[in-house]
Amino acid sequence: MSELSHKDWIGKASAIRFRDKAFIDGKFVAARSGRTFASVNPATGETLAEVASCGEEDIDLAVSSARRAFQSGAWSRAKPAHRKEVLLRLAQLLRENLHELALLESLDMGKLVKDAATIDVPGSAAIFQWYAEAIDKVYDEVAPTGSGDLVLVRREPLGVIGAVVPWNFPLDMATWKCAPALAAGNSVVLKPAEQSPFSALRLAELAMEAGLPAGVLNVVPGLGETAGQALGRHMEVDCLAFTGSTAVGKLFLQYSGQSNMKQVWLETGGKSPNLVFADCGNLDAAADMAAFGIFFNQGEVCSANSRLLVQRSVKDAMVEKLVQRAAATQPGDPLDPASKMGAMVDARHAANVMRFVEAGKKTARLVTGGEQVTVNGRGSFIQPTIFDEVSPSDIIARDEIFGPVLSVIAFDDEEEAISIANDSVYGLAASLWTDSLSRAHRIAERLHAGTVSVNTVDALSPMTPFGGFKQSGFGRDLSLHSLDKYTALKTTWIKY
Ligand code: NDP
């Protein structure tokens, strides 16, 4: 828990400086076209800054810089122990600039500054530290060919990585891509979402302060259709790592096929089920975590537990507990440490979420919430919302809403629960609550999800792979497995 008061945060916010230019070749530069876009605080509607809007020309410059840096070998061929030192320094700088980075996140996309200061920024620092510490402990292989041949199988960095990331955890999503890609020796061109460019720009500046050579990490703010597309289609980008919507993920596959067949790794949408069985001994804990699983970060979480599947005999008790928790999670000023939920990322997204809420009101029973509200007369906020008696075929049970909207669905037995849980185009995460060890294993084995959390929700750590099945994407962020995305295996065969 950060120790700063509401007044402290307001004071710090009034003094904050926004980096509003692109970061290319180690310098802040305007877009070649001179174009900018407005970055707006969704909690107040105020424009924070006009930010460089990168186009094809800027992407070319950033990719050339990244390529030059890669070919120079200053980073790509540096000893892993050196890369470790620099990335450890970066982790430390993130910690030293915690308040500033937390504020950038909160002002830019509406999340609670308290969460950014206790979860997002420390999480990013921990991930840089984890890859820094790992990279000089990853050994290569010698193939068992026998005498007369020595066959080395080594991992090499790929070259230039394009990273296109969303606005829900701006610094964390940038880190999930950059930390392993940089640790492995690549250069990166990072495009943050237009709603949330500031922490990525500050990250690049801090990375240079930590000792990353110029050109190894470039940040190109801009619109998806221009800057994002230009990266996706660039002939000199070797790999494109993306987190965002399934629809845009599919576009990146097309860009790749129509350009240089660059590797594409996608972490996309989700509609994660949370299964609560009647033999769960602690329904209060299940209710606490179910509420956290859908209301944390305003529900703007790809793995949000947006479908609550509850065994019929405990369903009403569970809904009652959730209503109490929703009442205690009303939106408030994101800079106030006492607030429980922040603003939606922008007015357009709030309107999208409200379209789902209105659809839900027609097909299910609204038990709490269901309204868009303002805080201090401003901003785009949505009440924590729960629908009961949802049918698995309802739109609110099928589409990713990306807001604080929970659909409760009753089931009678294990088979039915598994069948409803798996009846989705997505397969990112799932949770289940039971006191039976056998049931936990039986069901975890059959759920189509990249992560199954038992008696908790949305468990993750730098040590464990994160990513999806089906249309939630492929490839894994976090853990040593993510190094597979940013390296290629090279076989060197020596006869002697
Ligand atoms: P998008 O998928 O549109 O955005 C993610 C990233 O892709 C952003 O950097 C965006 O840039 C970029 N992008 C957008 N369009 C293109 C394009 N045509 N070519 C290349 N890059 C592009 O997500 P949204 O922000 O629009 O959110 C929409 C929905 O996506 C949400 O409601 C949610 O369902 C899902 N989503 C999932 C996330 C996850 O963590 N899995 C995160 C965010 C959203 P720009 O923002 O500048 O347009």
Side-chain angles (χ1 to χ4, degrees):
M1 182 72 177
S2 175
E3 70 288 0
L4 297 188
S5 68
H6 191 191
K7 202 164 145 224
D8 295 334
W9 283 116
I10 291 173
K12 282 183 180 288
S14 65
I16 205 155
R17 181 158 81 83
F18 298 104
R19 273 69 176 170
D20 54 8
K21 307 270 191 298
F23 193 81
I24 298 176
D25 210 28
K27 291 180 286 293
F28 282 112
V29 290
R32 278 294 171 105
S33 65
R35 285 209 181 92
T36 59
F37 62 89
S39 186
V40 174
N41 178 347
T44 63
E46 288 163 0
T47 297
L48 299 167
E50 290 288 334
V51 182
S53 185
C54 292
E56 253 179 68
E57 230 186 323
D58 308 292
I59 303 301
D60 276 346
L61 289 172
V63 173
S64 307
S65 160
R67 177 66 63 197
R68 268 196 315 278
F70 186 78
Q71 280 169 348
S72 80
W75 183 253
S76 54
R77 293 195 296 279
K79 288 198 185 328
H82 172 69
R83 298 204 292 261
K84 165 181 168 172
E85 242 176 72
V86 171
L87 295 179
L88 282 178
R89 263 202 302 274
L90 175 55
Q92 183 53 26
L93 285 172
L94 292 176
R95 292 186 180 111
E96 287 169 15
N97 292 277
L98 173 97
H99 290 150
E100 180 195 356
L101 289 162
L103 265 175
L104 291 177
E105 296 295 68
S106 175
L107 295 172
D108 220 4
M109 59 67 69
K111 72 169 63 210
L112 296 178
V113 74
K114 175 187 62 182
D115 286 351
T118 54
I119 299 172
D120 298 49
V121 182
S124 281
I127 289 168
F128 271 108
Q129 178 171 344
W130 195 86
Y131 283 102
E133 287 170 346
I135 202 63
D136 64 349
K137 297 164 193 76
V138 179
Y139 286 75
D140 290 325
E141 298 167 12
V142 174
T145 49
S147 187
D149 300 280
L150 174 64
V151 182
L152 309 174
V153 181
R154 300 180 63 189
R155 270 176 198 275
E156 291 193 350
L158 284 177
V160 178
I161 310 296
V164 177
V165 295
W167 42 259
N168 54 344
F169 295 94
L171 182 65
D172 282 359
M173 292 300 104
T175 297
W176 286 24
K177 311 300 184 200
C178 290
L182 293 173
N186 297 284
S187 298
V188 176
V189 180
L190 166 67
K191 193 204 89 65
E194 65 192 80
Q195 293 91 338
S196 58
F198 298 126
S199 56
L201 290 164
R202 187 71 178 114
L203 172 71
E205 194 180 27
L206 291 173
M208 268 199 75
E209 195 181 325
L212 200 72
V216 175
L217 175 57
N218 304 273
V219 179
V220 285
L223 310 188
E225 275 156 35
T226 47
Q229 176 160 200
L231 258 184
R233 291 187 180 279
H234 207 288
M235 296 300 284
E236 286 294 319
V237 169
D238 299 293
C239 161
L240 194 297
F242 171 77
T243 295
S245 62
T246 293
V248 174
K250 289 179 181 178
L251 288 180
F252 276 105
L253 292 172
Q254 292 181 28
Y255 301 156
S256 170
Q258 290 162 2
S259 57
N260 62 343
M261 218 168 82
K262 60 180 67 62
Q263 298 182 27
V264 176
W265 301 106
L266 304 175
E267 197 269 277
T268 51
K271 192 75 189 172
S272 299
N274 181 10
L275 286 61
V276 179
F277 286 87
D279 65 2
C280 162
N282 191 346
L283 272 192
D284 281 312
D288 284 344
M289 293 308 284
F292 173 80
I294 186 62
F295 301 141
F296 171 62
N297 212 48
Q298 304 76 242
E300 294 166 332
V301 179
C302 51
S303 50
N305 285 234
S306 51
R307 290 186 292 153
L308 183 67
L309 279 48
V310 194
Q311 198 152 19
R312 206 171 298 277
S313 59
V314 291
K315 200 260 296 170
D316 289 346
M318 189 68 183
V319 169
E320 203 182 309
K321 289 178 192 299
L322 278 160
V323 169
Q324 289 163 9
R325 279 138 183 97
T329 318
Q330 296 302 314
D333 179 352
L335 296 187
D336 184 348
S339 295
K340 302 297 182 207
M341 196 160 69
M344 304 307 292
V345 67
D346 58 24
R348 197 179 55 146
H349 183 58
N352 274 343
V353 172
M354 286 309 296
R355 270 193 282 282
F356 283 108
V357 171
E358 294 310 323
K361 287 177 184 171
K362 295 198 181 98
T363 56
R365 186 169 73 86
L366 177 69
V367 287
T368 190
E371 298 297 329
Q372 182 167 346
V373 293
T374 56
V375 168
N376 303 323
R378 304 185 293 185
S380 308
F381 297 80
I382 293 180
Q383 294 173 335
T385 297
I386 300 175
F387 286 103
D388 192 7
E389 295 164 26
V390 176
S391 151
S393 60
D394 289 351
I395 190 149
I396 56 168
R398 304 200 74 77
D399 286 14
E400 184 176 42
I401 300 176
F402 227 62
V405 181
L406 182 67
S407 296
V408 181
I409 303 170
F411 67 83
D412 288 306
D413 57 29
E414 243 178 72
E415 277 308 314
E416 191 190 7
I418 294 169
S419 144
I420 298 171
N422 286 339
D423 180 19
S424 170
V425 297
Y426 299 114
L428 189 52
S431 307
L432 73 108
W433 295 80
T434 174
D435 278 6
S436 158
L437 190 60
S438 300
R439 189 198 293 276
H441 282 292
R442 212 161 47 227
I443 294 179
E445 198 176 275
R446 291 182 58 197
L447 290 175
H448 300 155
T451 300
V452 178
S453 304
V454 178
N455 293 338
T456 184
V457 298
D458 232 352
L460 68 88
S461 113
M463 294 170 279
T464 53
F466 182 91
F469 291 14
K470 302 193 274 186
Q471 291 190 42
S472 291
F474 47 84
R476 293 293 180 264
D477 283 321
L478 304 179
S479 81
L480 291 181
H481 294 285
S482 81
L483 294 175
D484 295 342
K485 298 193 298 191
Y486 305 116
T487 53
L489 294 179
K490 177 182 276 180
T491 301
T492 307
W493 194 303
I494 302 161
K495 275 217 159 298
Y496 64 88

